[in-house]
Amino acid sequence: MDKTDTLDKEMAAYQAGPFDDVKIQEALTIIAVYAAQMDYQKCEADVKRIEAILESHPSFVARKKEIFAMINKFVNEMKLSGSQKAIEFAADTLTPEQRKIGFELAVEVALADKSLTAEKEKMLDALKNRLSISKDFVEHTIRNQTEIKQKTSKLNRQKRKIGSLQLSTD
């Protein structure tokens, strides 16, 4: 191998940066971090929320500590390099079926507060386009996740009500 080939490979590795050779779980993590649209100054709650979502998802076999490290790595890298570059690498890594899983994770992260703001809708639309997700799948996923969030919220309210009734009878 001559010096030109070596230099070309080194330049390509430098330009690709930390998003080169992204694995499936890393690509899904990038999508979840992107969906959080977090304020990097106040991201602790977002990181914990993403960690809980990923940890409970069947596509993740990594342990909690590994998931936390991946999230932090990509939060920092996306802060420095920009989220669009990361999403490009993530999308290129995933199969069409894995892209759907990534989009489902993104919707779950984006709808943490049970509302789809115009900003979140714009972000999900951009993600839909980059991941080549159909409009029908997007609508179905958002509708399902909204229903899940509403049911969970209702159950939590009922549990709090039952808990307060038990406290008052004790």
Side-chain angles (χ1 to χ4, degrees), residues 79-142:
K79 182 178 173 183
L80 294 172
S81 305
S83 58
Q84 294 307 312
K85 181 178 178 183
I87 289 297
E88 293 293 321
F89 278 100
D92 291 345
T93 298
L94 300 172
T95 66
E97 202 57 41
Q98 291 165 338
R99 289 177 184 183
K100 287 180 178 181
I101 293 169
F103 190 81
E104 290 170 334
L105 287 169
V107 170
E108 186 174 354
V109 169
L111 291 177
D113 56 2
K114 299 175 228 61
S115 66
L116 187 60
T117 63
E119 183 181 354
K120 289 178 184 176
E121 196 169 347
K122 182 178 174 184
M123 176 275 300
L124 288 173
D125 189 56
L127 189 58
K128 169 196 75 130
N129 292 334
R130 182 54 193 101
L131 296 177
S132 302
I133 303 290
S134 73
K135 185 177 180 181
D136 289 341
F137 183 81
V138 168
E139 290 171 357
H140 173 77
T141 302
I142 291 172

Side-chain angles (χ1 to χ4, degrees), residues 30-45:
I30 288 168
I31 292 170
V33 169
Y34 174 78
Q37 299 285 297
M38 63 182 71
D39 176 353
Y40 294 112
Q41 302 301 317
K42 303 178 265 179
C43 67
E44 186 176 339

Side-chain angles (χ1 to χ4, degrees), residues 19-30:
F19 301 117
D20 190 30
D21 196 30
V22 172
K23 308 289 186 274
I24 293 168
Q25 289 187 21
E26 293 171 324
L28 294 173
T29 302
I30 288 168

Side-chain angles (χ1 to χ4, degrees), residues 66 69 123 146:
E66 293 167 335
M123 176 275 300
T146 301

